[in-house]
Amino acid sequence: MEVRLENLTKVFPSRNKKSGEEVVAVNDMTIVIPDGKLVGLLGPSGCGKSTTLYMISGLQKATGGKIFFGEDDVTNLSPENRGVGLVFQNYALYPHLTVKQNILFPLQNLKGPDKLSKNEMLERTVEVAKLVQIDNLLDRKPSELSGGQQQRVAIARALVKMPRVLLLDEPLSNLDARLRLQTREEIRRIQRETGITTVFVTHDQEEAMSISDEIVIMKLGVVQQIGRPQDVYDSPENLFVAKFLGTPPINVFSGRVENGKIYIGEDCVMEAEGVEDQEVWVGVRPEGFVLDNSGPLHCSKTGVEVMGRDVSVVATHTASTNSVIRAIIPSETVVGDGDSVSFSLKRNKTFIFRKEDEKRIRLEK
Ligand code: ADP
Ligand code: MG
């Protein structure tokens, strides 16, 4: 089921009627979530991810704009009539009910032609429990489960009504690092197997990148960029997106374009033919540095960190906005002992951004 948001907006009135300002939590959002895909909604805390999800589910009413499921305009439908499954960060299982009863619960409220017999409900429950691999835990209480198992129960409960759309709001935040990894693979598998159109909300860029067919990056309620994770990483539209994706983060320098060349401080690092003279931000991905004695970017070396497969050279430069520069180079590379280090920069890993609006200026290849 394709989900389409058209100019979706949510304004919260000010809490303090006299002085407070209203909050535009989601601002004129237009996106298409393709049928059967998993789309990651990504951005820092407070950027409007949950609000977007709640509007899709119907738990919150949009201030403006429309929501379509396929051809159906669902903007004014109640949550029960939208056919969505919702999973929250805190699993919110009923503690006094068994796993089986928890999963089965939403089926008991079905009315009219959708009403199921006891046997049908049980069959459905076992089926989804198998899908999320907790069918051996059906008689336990939530307190007898690990965090990861509890989250699987919550997912099973969201799936049992066979929703048209699955909405997940930071579903992995309460899990420890290893379980988070494992559970996100599980969510991916379940999503593929069921083919349910899914929106996955997270503030964790790595999580969104690894699991999503497409990511939507938001800032202060406004969509910044939409695309396949690798495409967005390789071709960010603005400085915010460039900085939000990637670990270690992109290295950002204050620089300028002069006579068709990019300067970082006094270092002339790259051709930028056809670009007007101006102040710019220069972003270089950690893997965009090449150790090169005759390279144009001269830095002070502060250390070398060995990380198994790669080596990261830690350095500083007066024009760097990051406190330290991290350059990732292959571990075979021999790093000299000196206090200074020079790099040349890979063109496809180097981006420049206008200072006034932080939009990217595209370089010729
Ligand atoms: P996210 O999920 O990305 O962290 P939210 O969608 O929860 O962000 O919130 C977006 C903005 O809307 C925030 O500034 C938040 O404070 C505000 N907000 C969220 N819910 C309400 C509410 N019920 N009343 C007023 N402001 C709200
Ligand atoms: Mg949220």
Side-chain angles (χ1 to χ4, degrees):
M1 175 74 52
E2 178 189 276
V3 176
R4 210 162 74 243
L5 311 182
E6 283 184 9
N7 311 105
L8 197 64
T9 296
K10 178 73 184 182
V11 180
F12 290 109
S14 65
R15 290 210 175 90
N16 178 341
K17 283 213 172 93
K18 280 188 193 131
S19 61
E21 285 185 17
E22 52 184 32
V23 178
V24 184
V26 177
N27 195 345
D28 199 20
M29 184 177 195
T30 295
I31 61 170
V32 175
I33 297 155
D35 180 31
K37 298 288 186 203
L38 191 159
V39 168
L41 202 53
L42 177 63
S45 179
C47 73
K49 305 180 296 292
S50 295
T51 305
T52 305
L53 212 64
Y54 299 158
M55 285 194 285
I56 299 173
S57 75
L59 290 178
Q60 278 181 353
K61 205 168 150 23
T63 314
K66 290 205 147 113
I67 303 168
F68 293 90
F69 287 2
E71 293 308 308
D72 297 347
D73 181 346
V74 301
T75 317
N76 295 314
L77 276 190
S78 66
E80 308 82 73
N81 295 326
R82 291 196 190 189
V84 297
L86 197 54
V87 177
F88 299 97
Q89 172 179 345
N90 47 354
Y91 337 113
L93 301 175
Y94 302 108
H96 57 287
L97 299 183
T98 63
V99 168
K100 190 198 294 167
Q101 292 164 330
N102 262 287
I103 299 174
L104 201 136
F105 194 82
L107 297 178
Q108 293 174 323
N109 304 324
L110 292 176
K111 302 216 165 63
D114 295 333
K115 198 170 162 51
L116 298 176
S117 73
K118 259 219 157 78
N119 260 336
E120 285 168 324
M121 284 194 249
L122 213 57
E123 264 172 39
R124 196 74 88 68
T125 300
V126 172
E127 201 179 308
V128 288
K130 278 197 178 127
L131 179 69
V132 304
Q133 299 179 343
I134 48 162
D135 46 317
N136 55 334
L137 306 174
L138 285 172
D139 294 320
R140 292 208 197 164
K141 294 271 176 66
S143 61
E144 298 164 327
L145 303 177
S146 71
Q149 289 167 336
Q150 289 183 40
Q151 193 55 303
R152 285 171 197 233
V153 178
I155 294 170
R157 194 174 57 184
L159 288 172
V160 76
K161 272 163 89 175
M162 301 181 181
R164 303 197 280 178
V165 179
L166 182 62
L167 305 171
L168 307 165
D169 192 1
E170 313 242 8
L172 309 179
S173 312
N174 285 355
L175 306 180
D176 66 44
R178 247 185 57 189
L179 255 179
R180 220 163 35 228
L181 260 173
Q182 196 187 339
T183 312
R184 89 182 182 206
E185 299 304 319
E186 278 294 287
I187 289 177
R188 187 64 192 149
R189 176 185 63 77
I190 294 162
Q191 194 275 330
R192 285 239 167 90
E193 277 182 34
T194 57
I196 297 179
T197 307
T198 300
V199 185
F200 182 99
V201 161
T202 177
H203 63 274
D204 181 333
Q205 58 93 21
E206 198 186 331
E207 196 167 284
M209 297 271 283
S210 66
I211 191 173
S212 310
D213 294 308
E214 280 186 28
I215 52 175
V216 176
I217 301 183
M218 294 178 76
K219 174 193 176 189
L220 294 172
V222 179
V223 172
Q224 303 291 303
Q225 192 166 352
I226 305 171
R228 294 200 318 219
Q230 192 68 46
D231 294 345
V232 179
Y233 180 83
D234 288 339
S235 192
E237 304 265 359
N238 61 39
L239 185 62
F240 176 84
V241 171
K243 283 164 87 166
F244 202 75
L245 299 184
T247 39
I250 193 165
N251 299 277
V252 181
F253 302 87
S254 180
R256 66 188 187 282
V257 173
E258 218 176 277
N259 297 326
K261 293 185 165 52
I262 303 170
Y263 288 84
I264 295 176
E266 294 312 304
D267 300 336
C268 176
V269 295
M270 195 172 283
E271 300 286 323
E273 223 170 287
V275 179
E276 271 179 51
D277 287 6
Q278 60 189 297
E279 299 276 308
V280 293
W281 298 114
V282 185
V284 184
R285 292 275 182 217
E287 67 277 21
F289 295 89
V290 181
L291 263 191
D292 177 356
N293 284 333
S294 56
L297 184 68
H298 305 294
C299 301
S300 304
K301 193 176 83 199
T302 57
V304 175
E305 292 169 358
V306 180
M307 304 178 298
R309 190 164 42 88
D310 302 310
V311 169
S312 143
V313 177
V314 187
T316 58
H317 189 287
T318 49
S320 170
T321 64
N322 309 48
S323 57
V324 294
I325 301 162
R326 278 207 159 66
I328 296 184
I329 57 172
S331 60
E332 313 84 75
T333 317
V334 179
V335 185
D337 285 334
D339 292 339
S340 61
V341 61
S342 297
F343 298 104
S344 50
L345 304 179
K346 294 184 192 165
R347 195 167 177 79
N348 64 341
K349 295 287 180 183
T350 303
F351 313 116
I352 57 173
F353 305 92
R354 258 201 297 269
K355 276 221 168 145
E356 52 178 306
D357 59 5
E358 305 193 337
K359 289 223 166 83
R360 176 155 154 237
I361 304 168
R362 288 178 186 263
L363 297 170
E364 281 177 24
K365 286 211 171 127

